[in-house]
């Protein structure tokens, strides 16, 4: 079990989302950075959909009421255990009574904390993700607050063996020397190029707007949240004003409302949208997008849908290779 001593700015429980209900108007939700979420789970021996704690910008203070095997992936929020810095993207054994807290935001926007065995909370409509606006899922449908106590699930056999072995030799905590290779860790810069496929209404925009969309820089504004990033830049406009029928939208759909400033829909997006869609962020770039915060700048670069598929397949191959590599390292430990 863990106890939340301080909640941080926005600390929620997320898995890979609540799928299969969008036709009824229920959003998918889930982790913003699915890459960090999945790798964090692999590093503690969990299935990739196990719930993790998503920590945004200003981290919580968490006390461990029992021994735990953890990992922290995603943005670097300067994690510390009992006042000593620990490194992200690796497996860490934490002893009962230890305290995890976070310092300054060094890179990215959010981190995912995974705990071996996952978090023992109810599943709502097939998911343990927190949907804040509806108040369902996660821990009582809300962000974590002071004095919340969350029990763990049971770790798998190999994770349990690692914990028993380290428990006999470790004083407060122990972090593995090996970690995810730096080549696979996303570079969460304050300025990024995000790859985009043209949207269904791309052709309805003026020639200048289409050109500016791919040549200008946009800034993520403070009116951004898990539902969407509101961008600020050279306003985009349609060739002719017209009504657009609402249609299904997805994580990464880029809509342009009447003020001409694009909105990128994110994990907690609505199920349909009626603004013209100028583009769709390639799935492979969604984790990098999820690590952007207000004030960061981005540019869009065009790719084809075939290129987007190819990039996603290659990324998935890397993730599966990494999963196998982590399992081999686990076997060396025990």
């Amino acid at each position: 079990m863990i106890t939340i001593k301080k909640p941080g700015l926005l600390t929620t429980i997320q898995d890979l989302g609540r799928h299969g209900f969008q036709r009824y108007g229920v959003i998918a939700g889930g982790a913003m950075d699915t890459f960090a979420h999945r790798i964090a789970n692999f590093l503690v021996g969990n299935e990739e959909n196990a719930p993790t704690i998503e920590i945004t910008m200003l981290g919580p203070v968490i006390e461990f009421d029992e021994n735990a095997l953890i990992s922290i992936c995603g943005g670097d929020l300067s994690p510390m255990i009992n006042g000593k810095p620990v490194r992200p993207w690796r497996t860490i054994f934490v002893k009962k009574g230890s305290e995890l807290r976070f310092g300054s935001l060094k890179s990215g926007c959010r981190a995912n904390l995974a705990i071996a065995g996952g978090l023992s909370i109810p599943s709502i409509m097939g998911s343990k993700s927190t949907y804040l606006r509806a108040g369902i899922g996660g821990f009582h449908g809300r962000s974590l607050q002071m004095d919340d106590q969350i029990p763990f699930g049971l770790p798998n056999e190999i994770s349990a063996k690692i914990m028993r072995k380290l428990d006999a030799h470790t004083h407060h905590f122990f972090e593995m020397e090996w970690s995810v290779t730096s080549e696979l860790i996303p570079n969460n810069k304050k300025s990024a190029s995000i790859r985009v496929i043209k949207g269904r209404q791309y052709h309805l925009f003026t020639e200048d707007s289409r050109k500016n969309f791919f040549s200008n820089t946009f800034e993520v504004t403070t009116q951004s949240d898990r539902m969407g990033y509101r961008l600020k830049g050279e306003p985009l406009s349609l060739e002719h004003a017209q009504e657009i029928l609402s249609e299904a939208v997805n994580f990464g759909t880029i809509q342009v409302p009447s003020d001409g400033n694009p909105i990128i829909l994110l994990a907690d997006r609505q199920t349909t949208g009626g603004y013209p869609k100028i583009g769709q962020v390639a799935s492979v770039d969604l984790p990098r997008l999820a690590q952007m915060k207000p004030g960061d700048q981005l540019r869009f670069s065009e790719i084809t849908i075939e290129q987007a598929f190819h990039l996603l397949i290659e990324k998935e191959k890397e993730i599966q290779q990494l999963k196998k590599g982590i399992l081999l390292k686990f076997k060396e430990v025990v």
Side-chain angles (χ1 to χ4, degrees):
M1 178 181 290
I2 54 172
T3 299
I4 305 298
K5 308 301 287 186
K6 291 184 180 178
L9 179 64
L10 178 63
T11 306
T12 62
I13 295 175
Q14 303 291 342
D15 58 19
L16 290 177
R18 188 168 283 106
H19 299 284
F21 301 97
Q22 292 188 76
R23 60 186 146 167
Y24 305 118
V26 179
I27 70 162
M32 284 280 282
D33 183 345
T34 56
F35 179 77
H37 169 91
R38 294 172 71 190
I39 303 305
N41 271 324
F42 292 156
L43 285 168
V44 296
N46 290 348
E47 295 296 325
E48 64 182 43
N49 193 39
T52 64
I53 296 177
E54 184 178 276
I55 299 160
T56 304
M57 296 181 70
L58 180 63
V61 178
I62 298 172
E63 183 175 284
F64 288 83
D65 302 311
E66 57 188 286
N67 291 348
L69 200 64
I70 71 168
S71 68
I72 305 163
C73 296
D76 188 349
L77 279 65
S78 305
M80 294 172 284
I81 296 177
N82 296 338
K84 295 183 178 179
V86 291
R87 292 167 286 183
W89 299 99
R90 68 186 63 221
T91 307
I92 305 169
F93 174 71
V94 186
K95 278 239 178 177
K96 175 182 177 181
S98 295
E99 180 187 270
L100 170 66
R101 65 172 59 226
F102 295 84
S104 59
L105 181 61
K106 290 183 178 177
S107 68
C109 179
R110 44 183 58 90
N112 289 81
L113 166 65
I115 300 173
L119 301 165
S120 187
I121 57 172
S123 179
I124 306 294
M125 301 176 76
S127 171
K128 298 184 177 182
S129 284
T130 313
Y131 177 15
L132 292 170
R133 283 183 170 82
I136 64 170
F139 192 78
H140 301 306
R142 59 169 172 75
S143 60
L144 301 183
Q145 302 297 322
M146 188 172 70
D147 295 332
D148 284 347
Q149 293 188 308
I150 308 162
F152 306 157
L154 289 176
N156 67 14
E157 184 178 351
I158 195 165
S159 297
K161 284 183 178 179
I162 292 171
M163 291 171 67
R164 285 196 294 272
K165 182 174 182 178
L166 293 176
D167 188 27
H169 305 288
T170 304
H171 188 47
H172 290 299
F173 70 93
F174 179 86
E175 57 178 356
M176 303 292 181
E177 284 302 316
W178 54 270
S179 70
V180 175
T181 175
S182 59
E183 294 174 355
L184 289 183
I185 297 175
N187 188 351
N188 299 316
K189 294 180 178 178
K190 292 183 178 180
S191 179
S193 176
I194 300 296
R195 289 166 285 195
V196 166
I197 305 158
K198 288 177 182 174
R200 282 170 54 84
Q201 287 86 35
Y202 177 82
H203 63 285
L204 298 181
F205 288 84
T206 66
E207 184 177 348
D208 282 347
S209 292
R210 282 180 271 153
K211 179 182 175 182
N212 290 339
F213 180 65
F214 286 118
S215 60
N216 286 355
T217 297
F218 295 90
E219 180 177 312
V220 179
T221 70
T222 54
Q223 289 76 47
S224 300
D225 55 17
R226 281 179 47 89
M227 185 176 181
Y229 282 167
R230 288 184 176 272
L231 306 182
K232 184 178 180 181
E234 186 73 26
L236 308 172
S237 58
L238 296 174
E239 191 73 49
H240 305 288
Q242 56 185 291
E243 295 290 328
I244 304 292
L245 289 176
S246 290
E247 57 187 10
V249 292
N250 210 336
F251 197 157
T253 298
I254 307 171
Q255 296 190 130
V256 182
S258 57
D259 68 1
N261 289 310
I263 301 172
I264 310 179
L265 300 180
L266 302 174
D268 283 358
R269 66 198 176 276
Q270 68 274 23
T271 56
T272 60
Y275 294 130
K277 288 159 279 295
I278 195 170
Q280 173 68 44
V281 175
S283 296
V284 72
D285 279 354
L286 292 176
R288 283 199 302 129
L289 180 69
Q291 290 296 344
M292 305 203 76
K293 59 184 179 303
D296 288 351
Q297 295 186 329
L298 60 86
R299 299 170 70 93
F300 296 114
S301 59
E302 182 187 354
I303 61 172
T304 65
I305 193 168
E306 289 79 13
Q307 289 172 313
F309 274 129
H310 175 74
L311 289 167
L312 187 61
I313 290 169
E314 291 303 308
K315 175 58 71 176
E316 191 59 33
K317 287 179 181 176
E318 292 178 351
I319 291 173
Q320 294 307 317
Q321 285 296 319
L322 176 59
K323 183 180 179 181
K324 291 177 181 175
I326 291 170
L327 184 58
L328 288 174
K329 284 294 185 182
F330 278 177
K331 290 179 177 176
E332 290 178 7
V333 175
V334 298

